[in-house]
Amino acid sequence: MTFNAALTTDSPELAAAIVGEYLALADLLDGARPAVWAASSLCEGWRTREVVAHMTMPVRYDGPAFMSELEAAGGDFTRLSNTIATRDAALPEATLVEHLRAQTLHAWQPPGGGMQGALTHCVIHGLDITEAVPLARRVPVERIGAVLGALEGTGGAELFGADLSGTHLRAEDLDWSYGSGALVTGPAQVLALVLCGRRVPPSRLGGEAAPRFTRP
C-alpha cells in the first residue's frame, strides 16, 4: 500500500486532516437525537457522550489543570480518563459539539505522539462512536491509510493489547494487509479498530477468524 507522504510527517496536510476529522464528527453529532448520545460505544463502559468528553479534554484542561487531575488520580491515566469522561459527559451536548470544533483541540497532540498520534486519536475515537451507533461515515482513504501505517509503525496492536496471533487482516476497500494465518476481512477503518483491541459489530467483519474480534 502506498501512503500519502504528506500524512506521514508533520505537515499542513496532516494538520488539515486532524481538523477535518474533528469537524466531521461534530457535524454528525450536531443536533443528533438523544439515542445517539446515549448509545454504547466501542470503548468499554463509555457511551457516545463519554467518548466525546474524553476526546475534548484538551479544551477544558490546560497543562496545570491536567496535572492536577492526574495527581488526584494517583498518577493513573486510565483512572483520570474515566473520572473526567464520566464527569464531563454531563455537559450539554451543544457544548461538547462546540468543543469538537475548538481550535485548541485541533492543535493538541498526545504526549510523545506528535501530529500522527493526534490523527490516530481522533480517527479511532470517532470510529468508536460511528461504528457502534452506527452512523454512516467513511474515513477518507488517505487518512485511514495514514492511521494504519502509524499503528503498524508504533506496534499499535501490542500497545493496545490486541492478540492478532495466527491471523491475517485484509482490507476490502484498500490495498492493505497485516499478519499471517486465518483470514479476517473488512473495511480498512474497522480493521484499524481491531488493531486497537476493539471488538466490533459482527456484520462488519468476514473470514474464518472474524468471531475472535466481534461482539457477541
Side-chain angles (χ1 to χ4, degrees), residues 22 36 61 67-68 95 110 130 158 182 199:
Y22 282 122
V36 171
Y61 302 89
M67 293 308 298
S68 177
T95 299
T130 59
E158 292 78 14
R199 295 180 68 86

Side-chain angles (χ1 to χ4, degrees), residues 144-162:
I144 199 63
V147 168
L148 287 168
L151 288 170
E152 285 187 89
T154 58
E158 292 78 14
L159 179 65
F160 288 99

Side-chain angles (χ1 to χ4, degrees), residues 120-192:
T120 298
H121 180 82
C122 64
V123 166
I124 295 299
H125 279 313
L127 290 170
D128 283 331
I129 295 169
T130 59
E131 288 289 334
V133 173
L135 298 172
R137 179 171 189 265
R138 182 183 179 191
V139 178
V141 63
E142 68 276 5
R143 296 177 192 171
I144 199 63
V147 168
L148 287 168
L151 288 170
E152 285 187 89
T154 58
E158 292 78 14
L159 179 65
F160 288 99
D163 178 12
L164 304 178
S165 59
T167 61
H168 175 63
L169 308 185
R170 188 176 70 204
E172 297 171 335
D173 54 352
L174 204 62
D175 181 18
W176 180 86
S177 62
Y178 181 90
S180 60
L183 186 63
V184 180
T185 63
Q189 64 188 46
V190 178
L191 296 182

